[in-house]
Amino acid sequence: MKKKTRGIHFLLLVSAIFLTGCVTTNLPEYYTVNPEVLEAKGGRVTFTIDGTFPAKSFHKKAVVEFSPYLKFGDERIELKKLILKGEKAEGEGTIINSKTGGSFAYSDEFLYTHNMRASELYVDAKIRKGSKISEYNNIKLADGVIHTYQDIIHDEELIYAPSGYEPITIVSENATLYFRVNSADLNMNLALNKDEEAIAKMKELEDFLMKGWDVKDIKINAWASPEGEIHFNDNLATKRADAASKFMKSKLTGINKKRAKALGVDVSSLEKEVAYSASGNGEDWDGFMTAIKNSDLKDKNQILNVVNSQSDVTKREEEIRNMTVIYKEIEETILPPLRRAEITVNCFEPKRTDEEMAELVMTNPDELTYAEIMHTATLTDDPTARYNIYQTAFTNKDRDWKAYNNAAAEAIVLNKLNEAGNLLIQAEKLAKDNGKIENNLGVLACHENNYEAAEQYFMKAMSHGENENYNLGVVSIQKGDYAKALNYFKGIDCKHNVALAQVLSGNMNDGLKNLKCSPESAQTNYLLAVYGARSNNADMVYEYLAKAINKDASMKAKAKEDREFLKLFDEHAFAQLVN
């Protein structure tokens, strides 16, 4: 971008008189500073200066030393020197031919600090020809420094650990009924039904039902042993399932009567419709094969090979019948347990209501389980309340990393950064190499403006399966890599930081769209004002700058020295807003 300046023109004019003794020599009227207003990117400010000397304007024995510097307040930063010399001059420097003239190119960069936001780029010049020296100081080259890349909103994505709370928990108990060979008649005097383990399981099932929990359903699966005719066994298994259903309906009726008597209520108040699912599954080939494998039969491998070699089901059944003659253990111990009906009762575990848990966490949290405390924190939108609830979980006997991680996340939201760091250290002690903790350490580093560390944490979190695209996009803005940021932001719309990356990369149309649909805030209104300045729309600057100041009065002082609005500094409407 070209910029005309009387200061440099005067310098070159005087230089020409000093160096050539001729005032009629043609002189350059322009020099180029790029960018016209210095701008920070990724924590650094880079700029270039280009110029041209016309023919016969530079003495062959002359040396010109340019000393650029940045001035802000009472401070001054010296930058790299530029030395130009004629072809007969001694020492180092870029040669400008005394007859044909020539051009020069200068570039430098420096680290940006916030106190440079209202600064100016100057140059001092020293012209030497032999023993003659002239100095020209404090010649202004450019204004600086635009620092819009820093105008992110700290909405990096925190990751909360799940509470582990189940709003609906199904608890199951089961028992088994056994049947005689080829029979679906239930006989509780059958040896297997009188077995100690079978009796204990049926007692556990009865005790479970006596709790009075709501029954979700009762599932029954029945089988036949695989030595009979297949069609007969299919029907037999179905009949056994029906017999077990009738048994359970009778059992449930008796239990309801017992409960009604104990509670002193009418039994009808306890009777509820229960869903039954009864399935006859035919012959239990899998059960037979497993029983043979686990048996002590010395020929079990041979038996298994014989059964497996028969693809015809009818012939397999015949082989098993033949084996029962040879191997009495098959008839006496392997086949009888397969003639059964398995009963599974599924009940809803009673739960406290959300309101009850919310009250207890404040009055008597010891009555709550760890999962209930963690769940209660999710019932409020107040980060302070959530932070306090997570701290309550620290004393629970079942506490783990999740409470510390989530409390740290709330501390970050509340800008309690020291507390957040300590809590994440505790979380790490309990769960090493945890992607959620790594992510939150990265978000904390962003809030502390340590973007190098943040990037490392986010990459670790990504290696553990977490989606870090948005957070890495924010880091990329701060590193000055706007193209990379936009790549991370693919598919993400209506976010301030996405719009910031688009505006900084020159993608103005998409930037405006995302700014307009982003949640309204002082920062987003301010960025809309910056958009107006970059698109030479003064009315837009005034409109959105006024909105930003209305939401956050500190925006007034920020805008007053922000070089984004440099062209408007002398405008009355701008002065009214910022003064």
Side-chain angles (χ1 to χ4, degrees):
M1 184 177 293
K2 291 184 176 181
K3 180 179 179 183
K4 187 173 182 177
T5 172
R6 294 177 182 174
I8 196 71
H9 190 178
F10 173 76
L11 169 63
L12 293 175
L13 177 62
V14 174
S15 300
I17 293 172
F18 178 74
L19 296 173
T20 68
C22 177
V23 295
T24 61
T25 303
N26 292 325
L27 299 170
E29 295 184 350
Y30 297 93
Y31 70 94
T32 302
V33 177
N34 187 28
E36 181 180 351
V37 181
L38 302 185
E39 182 170 1
K41 182 178 180 180
R44 304 192 72 83
V45 179
T46 302
F47 68 96
T48 62
I49 304 173
D50 298 293
T52 303
F53 283 87
K56 298 180 181 180
S57 66
F58 205 105
H59 195 281
K60 61 184 178 182
K61 291 185 178 181
V63 177
V64 180
E65 182 179 286
F66 291 100
S67 300
Y69 63 93
L70 190 74
K71 189 174 188 301
F72 46 99
D74 296 329
E75 296 185 62
R76 169 172 167 157
I77 292 181
E78 302 292 338
L79 301 174
K80 183 175 64 178
K81 293 181 183 298
L82 170 66
I83 300 175
L84 306 177
K85 67 174 188 173
E87 69 272 21
K88 295 294 185 179
E90 296 181 355
E92 297 182 352
T94 300
I95 296 175
I96 304 295
N97 190 277
S98 59
K99 292 181 179 180
T100 61
S103 61
F104 66 89
Y106 171 91
S107 65
D108 201 2
E109 69 173 17
F110 54 89
L111 289 173
Y112 172 75
T113 58
H114 192 58
N115 53 356
M116 298 176 184
R117 62 194 181 278
S119 58
E120 295 172 310
L121 180 65
Y122 286 93
V123 65
D124 291 341
K126 181 186 292 185
I127 306 168
R128 185 176 71 252
K129 177 186 170 186
S131 60
K132 296 180 181 180
I133 297 176
S134 287
E135 295 186 8
Y136 305 91
N137 297 324
N138 304 321
I139 302 164
K140 184 175 176 179
L141 299 179
D143 288 285
V145 173
I146 290 172
H147 51 91
T148 303
Y149 84 100
Q150 292 185 330
D151 290 348
I152 64 167
I153 286 179
H154 278 303
D155 63 352
E156 297 90 352
E157 294 177 351
L158 293 158
I159 301 180
Y160 291 80
S163 67
Y165 176 77
E166 296 178 336
I168 297 175
T169 301
I170 306 299
V171 181
S172 304
E173 283 289 350
N174 56 73
T176 303
L177 297 173
Y178 297 95
F179 296 84
R180 293 191 185 93
V181 63
N182 297 333
S183 173
D185 295 332
L186 185 57
N187 183 351
M188 297 308 292
N189 288 319
L190 191 66
L192 285 174
N193 286 329
K194 295 177 69 176
D195 179 78
E196 184 176 327
E197 182 178 351
I199 291 173
K201 291 296 292 181
M202 188 60 69
K203 178 65 166 58
E204 289 174 6
L205 184 65
E206 292 173 357
D207 292 343
F208 180 56
L209 287 168
M210 281 295 292
K211 293 181 177 181
W213 292 3
D214 288 340
V215 178
K216 177 181 179 289
D217 57 25
I218 295 176
K219 295 183 182 295
I220 296 170
N221 285 285
W223 289 268
S225 55
E227 81 280 15
E229 191 271 326
I230 186 169
H231 181 68
F232 176 84
N233 279 342
D234 284 345
N235 290 332
L236 182 61
T238 299
K239 290 177 181 179
R240 285 172 177 171
D242 291 340
S245 294
K246 291 177 183 177
F247 171 84
M248 279 307 302
K249 289 174 182 177
S250 175
K251 176 72 69 178
L252 193 56
T253 297
I255 286 173
N256 283 335
K257 289 179 180 178
K258 287 182 182 179
R259 291 187 60 240
K261 184 176 181 181
L263 296 171
V265 298
D266 190 277
V267 69
S268 62
S269 65
L270 303 179
E271 292 175 341
K272 298 178 182 178
E273 187 174 348
V274 174
Y276 282 85
S277 172
S279 299
N281 300 301
E283 299 173 339
D284 189 5
W285 281 105
D286 290 339
F288 174 78
M289 299 296 283
T290 300
I292 292 293
K293 286 179 184 177
N294 295 333
S295 72
D296 295 327
L297 286 168
K298 63 178 181 178
D299 297 328
K300 63 181 177 181
N301 290 333
Q302 180 181 350
I303 295 170
L304 291 171
N305 288 335
V306 170
V307 174
N308 286 328
S309 66
Q310 292 291 347
S311 57
D312 187 298
V313 177
T314 301
K315 289 185 177 180
R316 271 193 290 175
E317 292 168 344
E318 184 178 346
E319 291 290 349
I320 292 175
R321 285 194 294 272
N322 292 336
M323 290 175 189
T324 59
V325 176
I326 302 172
Y327 302 101
K328 291 299 181 181
E329 186 177 348
I330 293 179
E331 173 61 29
E332 294 174 358
T333 63
I334 301 294
L335 294 177
L338 304 181
R339 304 159 186 154
R340 73 198 188 282
E342 293 180 354
I343 302 164
T344 302
V345 177
N346 299 306
C347 290
F348 295 103
E349 181 181 15
K351 300 282 184 175
R352 293 185 175 94
T353 65
D354 287 349
E355 291 76 15
E356 289 171 334
M357 286 186 281
E359 181 177 352
L360 281 171
V361 81
M362 301 302 296
T363 58
N364 196 359
D366 290 343
E367 288 192 20
L368 297 174
T369 66
Y370 179 61
E372 286 175 327
I373 295 174
M374 296 292 288
H375 170 68
T376 304
T378 69
L379 302 177
T380 175
D381 294 328
D382 181 357
T384 300
R386 291 196 298 262
Y387 179 65
N388 291 335
I389 291 171
Y390 287 130
Q391 286 186 311
T392 299
F394 296 167
T395 58
N396 189 278
K397 63 181 179 62
D398 297 318
R399 71 186 183 279
D400 60 11
W401 66 273
K402 296 193 291 290
Y404 294 99
N405 175 81
N406 292 6
E410 299 301 347
I412 292 172
V413 171
L414 296 168
N415 203 34
K416 298 180 177 182
L417 303 186
N418 288 336
E419 289 90 332
N422 292 331
L423 290 166
L424 288 171
I425 289 172
Q426 293 299 317
E428 274 195 307
K429 289 179 180 178
L430 297 170
K432 296 288 185 184
D433 299 322
N434 184 298
K436 293 177 175 58
I437 299 172
E438 296 286 354
N439 173 83
N440 294 342
L441 283 165
V443 175
L444 176 61
C446 283
H447 280 255
E448 295 173 334
N449 297 319
N450 187 349
Y451 293 99
E452 291 294 332
E455 184 176 36
Q456 293 177 17
Y457 284 125
F458 293 147
M459 295 304 292
K460 286 181 183 177
M462 183 180 286
S463 72
H464 293 300
E466 303 297 340
N467 184 345
E468 297 298 325
N469 285 349
Y470 183 75
N471 291 346
L472 285 168
V474 174
V475 170
S476 295
I477 293 175
Q478 296 308 295
K479 293 181 70 176
D481 194 340
Y482 307 137
K484 191 173 184 179
L486 291 175
N487 188 53
Y488 279 125
F489 287 151
K490 277 183 180 176
I492 303 174
D493 297 312
C494 300
K495 299 276 278 187
H496 172 99
N497 292 335
V498 175
L500 176 61
Q502 289 166 334
V503 170
L504 291 171
S505 64
N507 188 352
M508 301 295 279
N509 290 336
D510 288 341
L512 182 60
K513 288 177 184 176
N514 275 313
L515 283 171
K516 287 295 185 71
C517 66
S518 295
E520 188 178 6
S521 67
Q523 296 97 319
T524 299
N525 282 327
Y526 191 92
L527 186 53
L528 279 161
V530 169
Y531 179 96
R534 291 195 175 204
S535 56
N536 297 313
N537 187 337
D539 289 338
M540 186 176 182
V541 173
Y542 302 144
E543 176 188 354
Y544 285 102
L545 190 53
K547 289 181 178 180
I549 292 170
N550 186 53
K551 285 184 172 292
D552 182 353
S554 69
M555 294 294 180
K556 183 181 292 189
K558 175 180 169 68
K560 187 174 183 178
E561 59 184 14
D562 192 339
R563 269 42 184 170
E564 290 278 10
F565 307 117
L566 185 65
K567 294 178 182 178
L568 301 175
F569 277 5
D570 295 331
E571 298 295 328
H572 178 69
F574 185 82
Q576 279 189 313
L577 280 172
V578 301
N579 290 323

